[in-house]
Amino acid sequence: MKLWMKIFLALLLGAIVGFFLGKDAVYLKPLGTLFLNMINMIIVLLILSSMTVGIASIHDPKKLGRVGGKSIGIYLVTTLIAIAIAIFLADIFNLGEELSLHTTNVVEKKTTSFSEIILSIIPSNPIAAMVNGNILQIIVFSIFLGIAINFSGSRGKPLLLLLESLADVMYRLTSLVMEFSPIGVFGIMAWVVGTFGLTLLFPLLKFLLVYYVACLIHLFCTYGIILRGFGNLKLQPFFKGMRDAIMMAISTCSSAATLPVAMHCAQENLGVSKNISGFVFPLGISMNMNGGAIYQAMSAIFIAHAYGIDFTPYTYVTLVITATFSAIGTAGVPGGGFIMLSAVLAAVGLPLEGLAILAGIDRFRDMMTTTLNILGDAAVTVYIAKQEGELDENRYYHTELVEFEGGEM
């Protein structure tokens, strides 16, 4: 049985058991607590290794040139827009407010000036940041470390190899931890339903619906403007040309697994040159996780509302920065969106119990996440190709021309 099916069944079974046990379901809560402790165990080293390796993989800044600069700039801007859409919709629809949950595992965030926010991002002691679990400082240190490894040339290779090995080990450890997720989800879901009743189910369905709406808004508005407004390209041929990649994304829920199909669609159906496709697409798989960014920001707001925790301006700034960089670090991590969400929650002082509440719908969420990620990569790739004169527009419109051959175009 697939892991997502086990998690979904654990969610249902936990709800049923919790309903019948009532307050006695509290004795099952330690199962969830153990699972959450295991997630906490891997966060720091996972972020340090995966983020540093991801930054160091952009080898030669000169080689990046104009194409790399444009791609990275667009990816960062679209990620920020995605997070803004997520926060806006989550607050407008008051996601999670119906739950009224309670926890003691909340880190109070004091009101801080903007200058203090900026200063707090840079760790004065990276080891202390890792010991204290300061996720934002760990991310920033990882970025600088990755850049320094690049500029160190051959002398930085031994450290890079060590971190690549650590990243591979942490990915494997993540997979092992995720095998215990059905047990953890069962324990926490039984406790939540036993304590608060079945009122949990409607907010989850509401979250999933609003999440889909946010992704569709981002896809058709943000990327639609990039293609239609800036690229002067019609959208219908784009979606037709990417049909195979869309189906692959929905079925695998993996951007990495969908990459070969997406590149084939871009080259053969949309007329993107192999040079542009071969550079921009892999870069997007590493950096352009807009679906994950929406999920992390919206989940944080959902959990904050569920536990009655108010966000300060400092918390919102921290959420935007952390969600942006953790979305970048999600690429290639098995169960990555779920694990990296724990980093975002820790950064803004939210209880990790919220992870188990959202775990049951994670597979259904991931279908849209991967689809948005892949189509976002494709849209940027097509736009860059158009700007660089490496887009065959005859092939781009080929699907539309065939369909409407002999009629009005």
Side-chain angles (χ1 to χ4, degrees):
M1 187 182 295
K2 299 287 187 181
L3 180 60
W4 74 269
M5 293 181 65
K6 294 180 182 178
I7 294 175
F8 184 67
L9 289 176
L11 174 77
L12 295 179
L13 185 60
I16 294 171
V17 171
F19 177 76
F20 284 107
L21 289 182
K23 299 293 184 180
D24 290 335
V26 69
Y27 296 108
L28 295 174
K29 187 182 178 183
L31 294 175
T33 304
L34 287 174
F35 171 61
L36 296 177
N37 288 344
M38 293 173 72
I39 290 180
N40 271 327
M41 175 182 70
I42 64 178
I43 289 176
V44 171
L45 291 180
L46 177 64
I47 292 177
L48 175 66
S49 57
S50 63
M51 285 293 299
T52 304
V53 171
I55 296 298
S57 65
I58 308 174
H59 299 290
D60 186 359
K62 293 180 180 179
K63 186 177 179 180
L64 289 176
R66 183 176 62 251
V67 174
K70 283 183 181 179
S71 302
I72 293 173
I74 293 173
Y75 287 152
L76 289 177
V77 170
T78 55
T79 300
L80 290 173
I81 293 173
I83 293 172
I85 292 172
I87 292 175
F88 175 76
L89 290 180
D91 280 332
I92 286 294
F93 288 98
N94 297 318
L95 296 183
E97 283 195 353
E98 303 92 340
L99 295 178
S100 300
L101 304 179
H102 305 284
T103 185
T104 57
N105 300 324
V106 179
V107 179
E108 293 293 333
K109 296 289 181 179
K110 63 179 181 179
T111 303
T112 314
S113 67
F114 182 75
S115 61
E116 289 175 319
I117 294 174
I118 299 301
L119 291 175
S120 68
I121 293 174
I122 308 297
S124 59
N125 185 340
I127 303 300
M130 286 185 273
V131 170
N132 296 326
N134 191 318
I135 302 301
L136 191 54
Q137 290 188 355
I138 296 171
I139 290 174
V140 172
F141 173 70
S142 300
I143 293 172
F144 281 109
L145 182 60
I147 294 173
I149 289 174
N150 265 338
F151 282 106
S152 298
S154 60
R155 297 179 69 87
K157 283 292 179 64
L159 179 57
L160 179 58
L161 291 174
L162 175 64
L163 289 170
E164 286 176 343
S165 178
L166 177 61
D168 289 338
V169 171
M170 294 310 299
Y171 295 158
R172 180 56 184 160
L173 181 56
T174 301
S175 298
L176 294 175
V177 169
M178 290 304 295
E179 290 297 325
F180 290 93
S181 58
I183 300 174
V185 169
F186 168 78
I188 288 189
M189 189 55 59
W191 167 70
V192 169
V193 172
T195 305
F196 303 103
L198 291 174
T199 55
L200 180 67
L201 298 181
F202 172 74
L204 285 177
L205 294 175
K206 181 181 175 183
F207 173 90
L208 195 61
L209 178 62
V210 174
Y211 174 76
Y212 270 60
V213 170
C215 289
L216 292 174
I217 290 174
H218 188 58
L219 176 60
F220 287 102
C221 293
T222 305
Y223 289 115
I225 290 173
I226 290 175
L227 287 175
R228 186 66 176 144
F230 297 115
N232 197 27
L233 296 167
K234 293 183 179 179
L235 299 182
Q236 188 179 20
F238 172 77
F239 288 109
K240 285 184 178 180
M242 293 299 296
R243 279 180 297 192
D244 290 345
I246 292 172
M247 295 309 299
M248 186 72 174
I250 292 173
S251 60
T252 65
C253 292
S254 169
S255 297
T258 310
L259 177 60
V261 179
M263 290 179 66
H264 175 81
C265 289
Q267 294 167 12
E268 300 300 324
N269 298 343
L270 302 180
V272 177
S273 71
K274 291 184 178 180
N275 288 336
I276 295 295
S277 178
F279 176 78
V280 180
F281 251 117
L283 185 63
I285 292 298
S286 299
M287 294 191 64
N288 192 38
M289 292 291 170
N290 288 178
I294 292 175
Y295 169 60
Q296 289 162 6
M298 191 171 286
S299 297
I301 302 294
F302 174 87
I303 293 170
H305 287 168
Y307 286 96
I309 301 169
D310 294 326
F311 270 19
T312 65
Y314 168 82
T315 314
Y316 277 112
V317 172
T318 303
L319 174 61
V320 170
I321 296 174
T322 310
T324 299
F325 289 116
S326 63
I328 295 172
T330 300
V333 180
F338 189 72
I339 296 296
M340 296 306 287
L341 175 58
S342 63
V344 175
L345 298 184
V348 294
L350 294 175
L352 290 183
E353 287 94 332
L355 284 173
I357 297 174
L358 293 169
I361 60 171
D362 194 62
R363 176 71 179 195
F364 304 101
R365 184 275 310 171
D366 213 5
M367 293 177 182
M368 177 58 79
T369 298
T370 308
T371 302
L372 176 59
N373 290 343
I374 285 296
L375 290 178
D377 295 341
V380 174
T381 301
V382 169
Y383 171 72
I384 295 293
K386 174 72 181 292
Q387 294 294 304
E388 297 298 315
E390 297 198 39
L391 177 69
D392 183 351
E393 292 196 45
N394 288 329
R395 182 176 293 182
Y396 180 87
Y397 289 110
H398 175 69
T399 304
E400 187 179 46
L401 289 171
V402 170
E403 184 173 340
F404 293 97
E405 187 174 5
E408 183 178 356
M409 292 187 294

